[in-house]
Amino acid sequence: MIINDAATKRKIVFLSDLAVGYGTPQITYLLQSLADYYSTDDICVIEPDQKGRKWAGDRFPFKILRVSTVYPAYSFAFISEYNKFILDFLNKTKPDIVVASHGFVLPACLKYKSNNNILIYYKLESVSHQVKGLGSAAINLNRCVLSEADVVLVPERLRASADLNMYGWKRKDLVEVYNAGQTYSGHSPNVRNGRILYAGTIGPQTLCEIMLSDELKHIGFDIAGSAETDNARAFLEQASRRENIRYLGFLSSDQLDSIRRRYAFSLVMWRPDDVNQLYASPNKFFETVAAGVPPIAAPHPQCYEIIQKYNCGLLAEDWNEASLVEAIKSAAEVFYQNPVEYSELVENCQTAADDELNWDAQFNKITPLLDAAALHLRSRN
């Protein structure tokens, strides 16, 4: 059920803490789905002028307003300046739907919240992560928005529950929205190159050193990611001495999409040093499943749950080197010695992507809350 006055074009504003277009494609999917739901094309994204990230407005079907501030991004002075701009913009344009993605933008959207608009909080990061950038103010801002927001979306329900439990907050209608993409795009299992792809942050936090294990010298790895840190450069220097490891450079999302389907498997693992990292919901996990490339994953709860449900990848028993190495060796054995089992893994990736790990299925979980918010908005007015 959609309650919408066809004579009134709804205005949607998305408040971002980052320059869009560099990760989190679900922001684009969400905005496109909201545009369809509310039958509007009046969408504006407000983003900070994040140095080093070029404006990406020419790649999106909505307006992007990049805000240049006197103070550098993410300083405390920036937060005040950025929110003042946002609040002035909201008061001037009076959008019907405001979507906030981070504590950095919550002061303005909470000030604007009234009986005449719908507030959606797309809580992409945990409170503990937000505290690192905002300080303790992030705690009260999240407490307030969890009380005021009409709809709250989270990419991982266990991480969200950990936040609520830590601070004694209550919110029963949180919606877990997987970081899933659009459609399945896998190749036949018969045209894979037999190699394992790692795409992401390079360094000890993502357990890249596993690929240097002497036990894995017979397995081919390709690595795609930025080499801007000392840790990344040190790792790649070691990897360059291994004949089985190739560095592909820093590839765009489109470039990765064009090559990912050729691979036998994809590595999805990182070191869980805190609750935020343990329960993280990685885009690359959903991207590799959608590409029909079974993931080799550490047992992070969301990865574990999906792989167990669909049998669409391989899981390490824990995060120890021996377990991770064993999972990779098992994957290679499946690919080269058991083609029937490998084909089943690929087919199960397609089943998972078609049944649940796609954006349309995720947005279907949101629409009942949007319907309820529309009813509530009408009752308030």
Side-chain angles (χ1 to χ4, degrees):
M1 176 182 62
I2 300 175
I3 298 177
N4 197 16
D5 183 356
T8 303
K9 178 185 283 190
R10 302 299 184 193
K11 295 180 182 179
I12 301 173
V13 172
F14 184 90
L15 307 178
S16 179
D17 64 307
L18 300 169
V20 298
Y22 297 85
T24 318
Q26 290 72 32
I27 290 174
T28 302
Y29 302 152
L30 176 62
L31 290 176
Q32 290 173 333
S33 295
L34 289 174
D36 292 340
Y37 177 90
Y38 290 108
S39 301
T40 186
D41 59 2
D42 193 345
I43 300 174
C44 180
V45 173
I46 299 180
E47 68 175 24
D49 185 13
Q50 191 177 9
K51 306 306 180 186
R53 295 193 176 194
K54 295 181 180 179
W55 183 71
D58 55 344
R59 306 205 312 266
F60 294 93
F62 37 77
K63 181 171 69 175
I64 296 179
L65 181 60
R66 175 168 266 199
V67 181
S68 295
T69 55
V70 173
Y71 296 96
Y74 314 121
S75 64
F76 285 105
F78 156 82
I79 296 169
S80 297
E81 188 178 1
Y82 189 43
N83 276 275
K84 183 180 185 305
F85 177 93
I86 291 172
L87 184 58
D88 289 345
F89 180 87
L90 296 178
N91 286 331
K92 180 179 179 180
T93 60
K94 300 190 183 311
D96 305 284
I97 300 95
V98 177
V99 186
S101 64
H102 193 282
F104 278 124
V105 301
L106 292 184
C109 72
L110 286 168
K111 183 73 173 176
Y112 176 72
K113 182 74 175 82
S114 70
N115 288 334
N116 298 313
N117 58 72
I118 290 173
L119 173 59
I120 301 172
Y121 183 31
Y122 193 5
K123 187 174 175 291
L124 290 169
E125 300 289 355
S126 69
V127 175
S128 63
H129 181 83
Q130 293 184 37
V131 166
K132 293 177 182 178
L134 269 169
S136 60
I139 298 171
N140 279 332
L141 287 169
N142 275 269
R143 177 182 57 80
C144 291
V145 77
L146 287 170
S147 173
E148 294 291 327
D150 299 282
V151 177
V152 180
L153 312 176
V154 298
E156 217 281 2
R157 68 181 186 280
L158 295 177
R159 188 175 71 175
S161 295
D163 273 348
L164 296 180
N165 292 337
M166 178 178 293
Y167 299 105
W169 297 336
K170 304 293 183 183
R171 179 88 194 208
K172 295 183 178 180
D173 59 346
L174 298 175
V175 177
E176 182 183 50
V177 181
Y178 288 153
N179 284 335
Q182 294 283 31
T183 57
Y184 181 80
S185 61
H187 282 329
S188 166
N190 300 323
V191 295
R192 307 303 173 97
N193 61 15
R195 299 179 68 84
I196 296 175
L197 176 67
Y198 173 77
T201 302
I202 299 172
Q205 188 60 49
T206 51
L207 302 168
C208 288
E209 66 271 14
I210 297 301
M211 290 180 273
L212 300 174
S213 170
D214 288 339
E215 294 186 58
L216 303 177
K217 284 184 175 180
H218 63 292
I219 297 174
F221 295 95
D222 286 355
I223 300 169
S226 171
E228 295 179 351
T229 68
D230 289 340
N231 283 330
R233 287 187 287 269
F235 168 80
L236 290 173
E237 196 279 328
Q238 294 180 70
S240 68
R241 302 185 207 135
R242 302 294 181 105
E243 293 183 358
N244 63 315
I245 301 177
R246 303 186 304 205
Y247 177 52
L248 306 180
F250 183 43
L251 304 182
S252 69
S253 296
D254 290 342
Q255 289 172 319
L256 275 174
D257 288 343
S258 70
I259 67 169
R260 184 182 281 113
R261 291 172 291 171
R262 306 172 192 168
Y263 285 86
F265 290 93
S266 178
L267 287 181
V268 181
M269 50 186 64
W270 64 95
R271 200 182 307 280
D273 290 337
D274 57 31
V275 169
N276 180 61
Q277 293 168 353
L278 174 65
Y279 294 125
S281 179
N283 280 322
K284 60 186 176 182
F285 176 82
F286 297 95
E287 289 165 353
T288 192
V289 172
V293 179
I296 306 168
H300 298 277
Q302 194 173 73
C303 299
Y304 181 91
E305 179 181 1
I306 292 170
I307 289 176
Q308 288 287 83
K309 180 177 181 179
Y310 289 102
N311 187 29
C312 58
L314 279 77
L315 284 163
E317 289 187 3
D318 52 43
W319 288 267
N320 292 325
E321 179 178 352
S323 297
L324 298 171
V325 167
E326 189 60 35
I328 295 170
K329 288 166 61 178
S330 296
E333 183 177 342
V334 168
F335 182 80
Y336 286 107
Q337 299 182 26
N338 197 334
V340 173
E341 183 178 349
Y342 181 74
S343 294
E344 288 176 353
L345 288 174
V346 173
E347 291 171 5
N348 292 340
C349 283
Q350 180 166 8
T351 299
D354 289 346
D355 288 357
E356 187 177 8
L357 307 190
N358 65 79
W359 180 256
D360 288 342
Q362 296 309 303
F363 191 72
N364 286 339
K365 297 190 291 189
I366 302 173
T367 52
L369 274 76
L370 296 176
D371 292 342
L375 281 171
H376 191 207
L377 180 64
R378 177 164 289 186
S379 69
R380 294 194 304 242
N381 294 285

